[in-house]
Amino acid sequence: MEKLIIATKNKGKINDFNQLFKKFGIEVVSLLDLDYSNDIEETGSTFEENAAIKAETIVKQFNLPVLADDSGLEIDLLNGNPGVYSARYAGENKDDKANIHKVLDELKGQSFSNRTARFVCVLALAQPNKSTIFKRGTCEGIISESPQGENGFGYDPIFYPVGFSRTMAQMTHEQKNEISHRKNAMTKLENWLNTKSERR
């Protein structure tokens, strides 16, 4: 694998993946570099299915390896919701504040012991004529009773990671990246790449 497409236009993600793959001498290009504007409909019922849909759709177009990710929040008391609908839980507008408000309403009156949750990130690496590889990372935590902090995005203001007395939105970008679900998924991917390079 000499060249890889990262299926995102998020500059933060592009930078993170660029640093990872540089160690293995793999050139990274993103959807920004390719000026790719097709809207891929994520119709899967799991993070794995949605990540695979993105990766495998783009592989067919460019015939190059593609890495895609899908992520979201799972709340145990809500049977794993919002899950794959995390970005649009309160409606198709993808409104972070409305999503947070809906989650807090659904957990109203519940004790901390009933507010267990996790952020999930699944990376799907699709390659021409090969099976797609999946790496899943999680970050366990508790849902707060009200939003705290101004940093981050999505559900960060109501998520206390296990072992911390502050929400993800009260952490610096660097602190969050050390424990995040995406970091954990990337670590598993890096371990897999190391194993592959050792076999050469």
Side-chain angles (χ1 to χ4, degrees), residues 1 4 16 22 25 34 40 47 70 74 81 101 108 113 136 139 147 161 168-169 177 182 188 190-192 194-195:
M1 190 162 60
L4 173 74
D16 286 351
K22 196 190 295 180
L34 299 171
I40 299 169
F47 297 117
D70 195 42
E74 292 180 342
N81 284 322
H101 188 68
K108 207 166 194 173
S113 60
R136 172 182 273 248
C139 179
M168 281 224 175
N177 275 358
R182 188 153 57 91
K188 289 182 180 179
E190 182 172 8
N191 292 340
W192 179 79
N194 275 323
T195 305

Side-chain angles (χ1 to χ4, degrees), residues 120-133:
V120 178
C121 173
V122 171
L123 301 177
L125 178 61
Q127 301 175 76
N129 307 313
K130 289 186 180 180
S131 298
T132 300
I133 303 290

Side-chain angles (χ1 to χ4, degrees), residues 7 35 69 103 110 129 133 135 156 171:
D35 200 25
D69 76 304
V103 163
Q110 294 293 336
N129 307 313
I133 303 290
K135 298 297 169 188
D156 287 355
M171 296 179 171

Side-chain angles (χ1 to χ4, degrees), residues 45-102:
S45 59
T46 66
F47 297 117
E48 280 81 2
E49 286 175 4
N50 280 338
I53 287 167
K54 283 186 271 192
E56 291 167 7
T57 300
I58 297 170
V59 161
K60 286 173 189 166
Q61 285 190 257
F62 295 97
N63 203 38
L64 282 170
V66 177
L67 183 73
D69 76 304
D70 195 42
S71 56
L73 177 70
E74 292 180 342
I75 300 171
D76 295 320
L77 195 69
L78 304 181
N79 300 314
N81 284 322
V84 294
Y85 306 106
S86 292
R88 52 190 187 279
Y89 196 44
E92 289 301 318
N93 292 336
K94 297 187 176 181
D95 183 326
D96 286 351
K97 285 186 179 175
N99 290 337
I100 285 173
H101 188 68
K102 183 174 180 180

